């Protein structure tokens, strides 16, 4: 099989390629100054401590350098002065479907959130631009005492719950982009699951960007109290724009004693989006945090979900799939910080690079002094489709002291010509054979996604592989 | 006796070099002063103890006190083709059991005078890329001599060539240099031995450059037994042409802060580079190793295996990169670092990296950190071996397994004996 036959992979993203004129009720203008932050705080009616938090974030954002000493120089192409930092459809998250404007409904229709799925799922928190445009919490979840609200509402209505952890898992000065998010955040979900409550249905939110040069800075905080269990799903697709957009979210998870949190992401931003996300969770005694992450879209994604295993017997896991098509760079990975005895972590990452796409794995595993019985397992597999594709692996592993076991393995391979030949012999086209082989490569990970996501994921991979041959 | 001038302030030494070499030294001296010192945010210095890279306490070495004693201590094992002994960068002794015609084994300054074209073509031609450019510039600027090994086309040097580098004097600096050039089809085995005359602090900035012509075969071993207070840099560049095979082993048995940089350029089709390292880290030693397996040509192979056994409060850093350049299809590259943790205070950092720009490659890397296997310990204790000795044997087996990659059985057993002595077995 000649590799040259596949060099002109074109990614068909036209499915998400639409936008509607929307009249934005609030617009903070272009660029970022202290006045922008005051404006956002005024519009949102922030309590004083939130305003102070934003300003502190802004100060740190200015202070912090771009991480270009280790990250891609493409970051320098972000022009912070050209970005809109706040834009909202309305002030209050919409509660009932009837209240949602028709145009917005049409957008959701095109996004493919079927009515049945909405009924099937426990709650839908659909974000339209930076403010939640539609929020539906099923009665059953509410009755269990679960709080599922937007970040603005959470900080205003439930400060006693959220203030304790807000900005504690990821301090605003963690990095330049978490500082930026702290300054201008809006939207995102705040979830609290009371002790012992196991949320049966996944909580779900769809995010969407729908304005030119518009950055989205949502902030999500999920707290699972002792023995609670919750799964949260986040998926995004965005229309194509002329100029680059910036998406810089902060997601904090807190799993108290014996709690379990699963956070599922399918990221399919359009190929002009910079997606620079900070995600981290704290797992207390016997708690478990699992990040299931799939990155298909965006121009550049930098995202390294982390788990700080703070309590004895805590567990962290990252399952990651990345697909980098022409012109895309998926710079993803995981951070596992072992901070107590008998903590275990597992990282499984699979990436596919096609055309001129580049996928990068960056990992950090840290086992500090005097800990016993800590285990980490890391596996990274990369698949290269074309001769112009690129893949990198940069793990950093620190182990102090004995009594712990850490192992890291990575491999790079390609679809074997024999496999393709075999399938073509049996009547499959070369494209179909490639698609099947790629799906086979990630199949064991795809199965870890909730059913409706794994279906969507397979469809997305097929879509990406379409036209990859000939 | 007045205090000697600090190394970084004194003017370049006037070795017995030809003018063109002196000119290059002046350029290197300027470069040394222009380049910034390693900083916390420099990726090539991540995890490193930067305080250890402060050169201000060190000065140029004087002459050694007792030449005869150092020469008599320069005994390795087995039958050698030839031996050179340097003390504080002065050639103290040379002996040869008869080298094949055309083979050169010379002090570097003499080679620069008598074989200028060869030295110009091969002396420090590869830019250091793994962080120590500044220190390599200092090495070049202050270099007084070194060892030059040249094996012409088709010639085989059967027995090993051994080169000793001694340092003596408190805070003295030496700059060991070994340049090995093998022409097409040539083959040789070279052992570099580095040691401190007495237990005192010193600085060594060592460079070894290995150049292999088409089909050449080189086995190089660097065995380092610096004093525990020594700051040592070992900077390597290896260039491998078509179908040539380089096997290079670094054994770090001493030193306080030891920085190793091994940079393999796989330039020709079918070239092969085997990179090995054995590191028993004891006391508060820090072994900081950066490696690069750079595949420029298709169908080349590189294979790296580093074993670290960490006791006491020692630290190790391994940062390795396999890079497959755009045209280097059908590359086969492997990289493995294993850390055996023997103490609760020890720390192992591993950064095994891959950058793949070509397809149809097979690249894997692995990093593991673990402790002594309880079952193995139990097995030996059940057979009457005391626990301490049993642990020692496991460590010996773990470190010694790297030697199995060397093809020479004589060399294997020779290096194995050195390792035994170090581990007190």
């Amino acid at each position: 099989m000649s590799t040259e036959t596949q060099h002109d992979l074109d990614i068909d993203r036209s499915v998400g390629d639409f936008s509607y004129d929307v009249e934005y009720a609030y617009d903070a203008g272009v660029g970022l100054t202290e006045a922008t932050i005051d404006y956002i705080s005024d519009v949102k009616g922030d309590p004083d401590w939130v305003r102070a938090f934003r300003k502190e974030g802004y100060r740190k954002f200015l202070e912090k350098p771009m991480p270009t000493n280790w990250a891609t120089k493409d970051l320098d192409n972000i022009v912070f002065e050209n970005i809109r930092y706040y834009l909202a459809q309305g002030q209050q998250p919409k509660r009932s479907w009837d209240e949602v404007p028709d145009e917005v409904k049409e957008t959701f229709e095109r996004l493919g959130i079927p009515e049945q799925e909405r009924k099937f799922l426990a709650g839908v928190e659909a974000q339209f631009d930076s403010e939640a445009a539609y929020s539906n919490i099923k009665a059953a979840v509410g009755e269990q005492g679960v709080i599922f609200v937007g970040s603005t509402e959470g900080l205003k209505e439930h400060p006693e719950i959220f203030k304790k952890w807000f900005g504690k898992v990821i301090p605003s000065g963690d990095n330049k982009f978490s500082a930026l998010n702290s300054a201008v955040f809006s939207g995102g979900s705040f979830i609290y699951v009371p002790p012992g409550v196991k949320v049966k249905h996944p909580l779900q939110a769809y995010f969407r960007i729908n304005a030119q040069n518009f950055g989205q800075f949502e902030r999500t905080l999920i707290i699972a109290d002792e023995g609670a269990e919750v799964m949260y799903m986040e998926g995004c697709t965005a229309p194509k724009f002329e100029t680059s957009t910036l998406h810089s979210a902060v997601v904090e998870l807190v799993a108290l004693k014996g709690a379990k949190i699963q956070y599922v992401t399918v990221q399919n931003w359009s190929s002009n989006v910079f997606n620079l996300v900070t995600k981290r969770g704290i797992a207390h005694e016997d708690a478990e945090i699992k990040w299931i992450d799939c990155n298909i879209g965006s121009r550049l994604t930098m995202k390294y979900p982390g788990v700080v295993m703070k309590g004895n017997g805590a567990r962290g896991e990252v399952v990651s799939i990345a697909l980098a098509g022409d012109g895309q760079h998926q710079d993803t990975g995981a951070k596992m910080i072992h901070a107590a005895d008998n903590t275990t972590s597992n990282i499984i990452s699979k990436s596919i690079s096609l055309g001129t796409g580049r996928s990068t794995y960056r990992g950090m595993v840290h086992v500090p002094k005097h800990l016993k019985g800590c285990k980490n397992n890391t596996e990274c597999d990369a698949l290269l489709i074309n001769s112009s594709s690129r893949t990198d692996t940069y793990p950093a592993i620190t182990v102090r002291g004995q009594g712990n076991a850490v192992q890291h393995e990575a491999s790079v391979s390609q679809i074997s010509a024999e496999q393709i030949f075999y399938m073509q012999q049996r009547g499959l086209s070369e494209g179909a054979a490639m698609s099947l082989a790629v799906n086979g490569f990630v199949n064991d990970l795809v199965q870890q996604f909730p059913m409706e996501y794994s279906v969507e994921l397979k469809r997305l991979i097929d879509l990406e592989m379409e036209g990859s041959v000939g | 006796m007045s205090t000697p001038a600090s190394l970084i302030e004194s003017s370049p030494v006037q070795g017995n070099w030809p003018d063109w070499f002196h000119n290059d030294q002046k350029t290197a001296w300027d470069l040394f002063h222009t380049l910034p010192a390693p900083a916390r945010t420099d990726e090539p210095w991540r995890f490193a103890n930067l305080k250890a890279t402060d050169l201000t306490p060190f000065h140029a070495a004087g002459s050694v006190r007792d030449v005869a004693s150092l020469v008599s201590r320069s005994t390795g094992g087995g039958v050698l083709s030839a031996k050179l002994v340097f003390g504080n960068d002065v050639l103290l002794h040379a002996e040869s059991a008869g080298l094949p015609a055309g083979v050169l084994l010379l002090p570097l300054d003499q080679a620069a005078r008598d074989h200028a074209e060869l030295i110009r073509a091969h002396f420090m031609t590869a830019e250091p890329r793994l962080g120590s450019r500044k220190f390599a510039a200092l090495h070049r600027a202050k270099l007084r001599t070194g060892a030059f090994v040249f094996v012409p086309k088709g010639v085989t040097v059967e027995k090993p060539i051994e080169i000793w580098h001694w340092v003596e004097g408190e805070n003295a600096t030496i700059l060991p240099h070994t340049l090995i050039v093998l022409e097409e089809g040539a083959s040789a085995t070279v052992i570099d031995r580095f040691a401190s005359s007495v237990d005192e602090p010193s600085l060594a900035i060592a460079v070894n450059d290995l150049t292999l012509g088409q089909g050449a075969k080189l086995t190089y071993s660097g065995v380092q037994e610096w004093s525990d207070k020594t700051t040592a840099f070992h900077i390597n560049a290896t260039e491998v042409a078509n179908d040539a095979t380089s096997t290079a082993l670094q054994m770090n048995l001493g030193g306080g802060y030891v920085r190793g940089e091994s940079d393999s350029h796989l330039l020709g089709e079918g070239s092969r580079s085997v990179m090995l390292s054995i590191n028993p880290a004891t006391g508060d030693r820090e072994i900081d190793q950066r490696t690069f397996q750079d595949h420029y040509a298709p169908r080349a192979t590189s294979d790296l295996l580093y074993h670290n056994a960490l006791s006491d409060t020692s630290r190790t850093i391994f940062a390795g990169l396999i890079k497959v350049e755009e045209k280097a299809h059908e590359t086969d590259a492997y990289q493995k670092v294993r850390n055996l943790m023997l103490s609760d205070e020890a720390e192992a950092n591993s950064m095994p990296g891959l950058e793949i720009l070509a397809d149809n490659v097979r690249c894997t890397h692995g990093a593991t950190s673990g402790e002594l296997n309880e079952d193995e310990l139990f097995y030996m204790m059940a057979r009457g071996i005391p626990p301490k000795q049993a642990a020692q044997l496991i460590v010996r087996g773990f470190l010694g397994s790297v030697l199995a990659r060397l093809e020479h059985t004589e060399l294997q057993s020779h290096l194995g004996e050195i390792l035994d002595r170090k581990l007190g077995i």
Side-chain angles (χ1 to χ4, degrees), chain A residues 315-332:
Chain A
R315 205 181 131 67
E317 189 163 355
V318 170
V319 171
S320 168
I321 299 174
L323 201 152
D326 266 332
Q328 287 184 294
H329 186 180
Q330 304 288 7
D331 196 330
T332 61

Side-chain angles (χ1 to χ4, degrees), chain A residues 3 69 369-370 372 384 387 390-403 406-412 414, chain B residues 41 47 343-356 358-361 363-369 371:
Chain A
T3 49
N69 60 319
K369 253 185 201 174
H370 302 308
K372 295 287 178 213
L384 288 168
S387 57
R390 169 169 183 178
T391 183
D392 319 301
T393 313
Y394 307 109
I397 306 149
T398 299
V399 179
R400 296 199 176 104
Q402 48 188 348
V406 175
Q407 59 176 25
H408 170 102
E409 234 179 304
S411 73
V412 176
Q414 51 282 310
Chain B
T41 50
F47 294 119
S343 145
D344 277 340
E345 309 291 324
E347 175 186 315
N349 300 284
S350 316
M351 291 179 281
L354 296 173
E355 281 180 10
I356 316 293
D359 67 344
N360 203 5
V361 299
C363 297
T364 58
H365 72 199
T368 60
S369 298
E371 54 182 336

Side-chain angles (χ1 to χ4, degrees), chain A residues 14-228:
Chain A
S14 60
V15 177
D17 212 7
F18 54 92
S19 83
Y20 298 91
D21 283 338
V22 176
E23 286 177 27
Y24 293 101
Y26 294 90
D27 181 351
V30 175
L32 184 59
T33 62
E34 195 147 332
T36 324
I37 289 161
D38 277 324
Y39 176 83
I40 295 171
S41 270
D42 291 344
V43 166
K44 295 178 79 72
D46 280 341
D48 286 349
W49 71 271
V50 175
R51 189 185 294 258
F53 178 86
R54 287 183 187 279
K55 295 216 168 146
E56 179 68 6
Y58 177 63
R59 199 177 55 75
K60 286 185 173 145
F61 167 70
L62 295 179
E63 247 173 52
K64 287 266 165 188
M66 286 292 242
T68 41
N69 60 319
W70 57 270
T72 168
K73 302 278 175 282
D74 195 20
L75 284 177
D76 291 334
N77 293 319
I78 300 172
V79 184
F80 289 105
E81 298 83 61
N82 292 351
I83 290 167
R84 282 175 196 279
Y85 290 88
Y86 183 74
L87 203 66
Q89 167 75 357
Q91 273 305 285
Q92 296 298 323
K94 297 292 187 294
R95 280 284 162 195
S96 83
W97 186 242
D98 290 341
E99 290 172 51
V100 177
D102 288 343
E103 288 156 323
V104 179
K105 276 181 185 165
E106 204 180 332
T107 306
F108 286 135
E109 212 67 54
R110 292 291 301 272
L111 258 180
I113 313 174
E115 209 77 40
Q116 289 100 320
E117 194 179 315
R118 251 176 264 144
K119 284 172 192 157
F120 175 74
L121 296 166
V124 172
E125 170 86 334
Q127 172 154 349
F128 190 82
D129 292 341
S130 52
E131 207 59 68
Y134 175 72
S135 162
N136 175 25
I137 302 164
K138 220 172 182 183
V141 182
E143 274 168 24
Q144 285 181 301
V146 175
I147 301 171
F148 181 19
V149 293
S151 60
T152 312
E153 195 183 337
L155 289 176
K156 261 191 233 166
E157 310 290 328
H158 309 280
E160 74 291 349
I161 293 172
F162 293 110
K163 198 177 169 181
K164 186 178 171 192
W165 293 106
F166 179 73
K168 298 299 194 300
V169 183
I170 300 168
S172 46
D174 188 80
N175 61 70
K176 193 176 182 77
F177 295 96
S178 67
L180 176 63
N181 176 284
S182 299
V184 298
F185 73 91
S186 59
S189 305
F190 273 38
I191 297 171
Y192 170 77
V193 186
V197 171
K198 293 177 170 51
V199 184
K200 281 196 195 97
H201 302 295
L203 302 176
Q204 192 167 5
Y206 273 86
F207 299 96
R208 187 165 174 77
I209 302 180
N210 198 23
Q212 197 161 12
N213 259 2
F214 171 55
Q216 197 152 11
F217 303 94
E218 76 272 326
R219 181 112 195 168
T220 291
L221 172 59
I222 301 175
I223 302 164
D225 213 322
E226 292 192 6

Side-chain angles (χ1 to χ4, degrees), chain B residues 65-362:
Chain B
R65 283 181 294 268
D66 188 345
V67 173
S69 152
L70 283 187
V71 172
S72 71
R73 286 167 70 188
S74 305
T75 43
V79 185
L80 299 175
S81 289
K83 178 155 76 178
L84 294 181
V85 180
F86 294 91
N88 285 0
D89 294 338
V90 174
L91 181 66
L92 305 179
H93 175 78
E95 64 182 61
S96 164
L99 290 163
V103 174
L104 301 175
L105 175 63
L106 295 171
L108 199 61
D109 55 327
Q110 188 189 333
R113 293 190 302 272
D114 299 348
H115 306 274
E117 302 75 46
L118 276 176
I119 302 301
R120 270 181 200 270
H122 300 290
F123 177 79
M124 292 185 81
T125 45
E127 185 81 4
R129 302 184 292 180
L130 301 177
S132 282
R133 202 168 155 230
K134 184 179 176 74
F135 303 108
L138 178 63
H139 172 99
R140 184 174 200 149
K142 296 275 190 172
L143 194 67
R144 289 161 73 177
T145 185
F148 177 58
V149 179
F150 172 80
V151 184
K153 188 172 171 179
V155 173
T156 296
V157 181
E158 295 285 353
K159 299 294 174 193
I161 294 169
E162 195 171 72
I163 303 157
W164 288 78
H165 309 268
W166 292 94
V167 64
E168 188 176 286
E170 194 172 348
N171 292 327
T173 301
I174 65 163
L175 308 164
H177 193 105
T178 301
L179 172 59
I180 303 172
V181 179
L182 302 190
E183 281 194 335
E184 193 180 327
S187 108
T189 300
V190 179
I191 307 169
D192 253 338
R193 299 289 300 260
F194 305 93
S196 302
S197 163
V198 288
D199 185 18
E200 58 196 352
S202 52
L203 169 67
I205 303 174
V207 170
N208 69 78
D209 285 342
L210 318 177
T211 305
L212 286 81
Q214 186 178 333
K217 203 169 169 187
L218 174 67
T219 304
Y220 172 85
S221 310
V223 180
Q224 172 273 102
E225 295 173 273
W226 301 120
S227 79
D228 291 344
K229 295 166 192 145
T230 298
T231 298
F233 297 82
H234 290 265
I235 303 163
N236 154 269
T238 301
E239 295 182 330
V240 196
N242 293 11
D243 301 317
T245 297
S246 160
T247 306
L249 164 73
Q250 302 294 329
M251 263 170 96
N252 289 303
L253 307 178
Y257 172 78
V258 180
R259 167 93 177 187
E261 298 185 3
S262 297
D263 188 354
S264 271
H265 303 251
L266 292 134
L267 300 175
E269 278 201 47
S271 58
R272 180 175 162 83
S273 178
V274 181
M275 300 159 80
L276 308 169
S277 189
I278 295 174
N279 303 299
T282 55
D284 60 356
R285 179 171 307 143
E286 177 169 323
I287 299 177
D288 174 5
Q289 294 176 300
R290 318 275 160 161
T291 68
F292 200 172
Q293 294 155 261
D294 200 352
H295 285 257
Y296 297 94
R299 288 173 283 287
T301 307
S302 64
D303 187 356
L304 178 147
L305 181 66
Y306 277 34
H307 278 195
N308 304 325
L310 296 93
S311 32
D312 308 318
T313 57
S314 63
R315 291 181 87 219
T316 61
I317 300 157
F318 170 80
L321 184 64
I322 294 174
K323 186 168 186 187
V324 179
E325 309 281 355
E326 272 174 39
K327 297 280 185 302
H329 301 291
E330 293 174 59
T331 285
D332 195 342
Y334 191 74
Q335 182 194 66
K336 180 108 195 172
V337 58
R338 288 198 182 96
N339 301 303
L340 181 60
M341 310 299 291
L342 302 167
S343 145
D344 277 340
E345 309 291 324
E347 175 186 315
N349 300 284
S350 316
M351 291 179 281
L354 296 173
E355 281 180 10
I356 316 293
L357 283 72
D359 67 344
N360 203 5
V361 299
R362 202 176 67 171

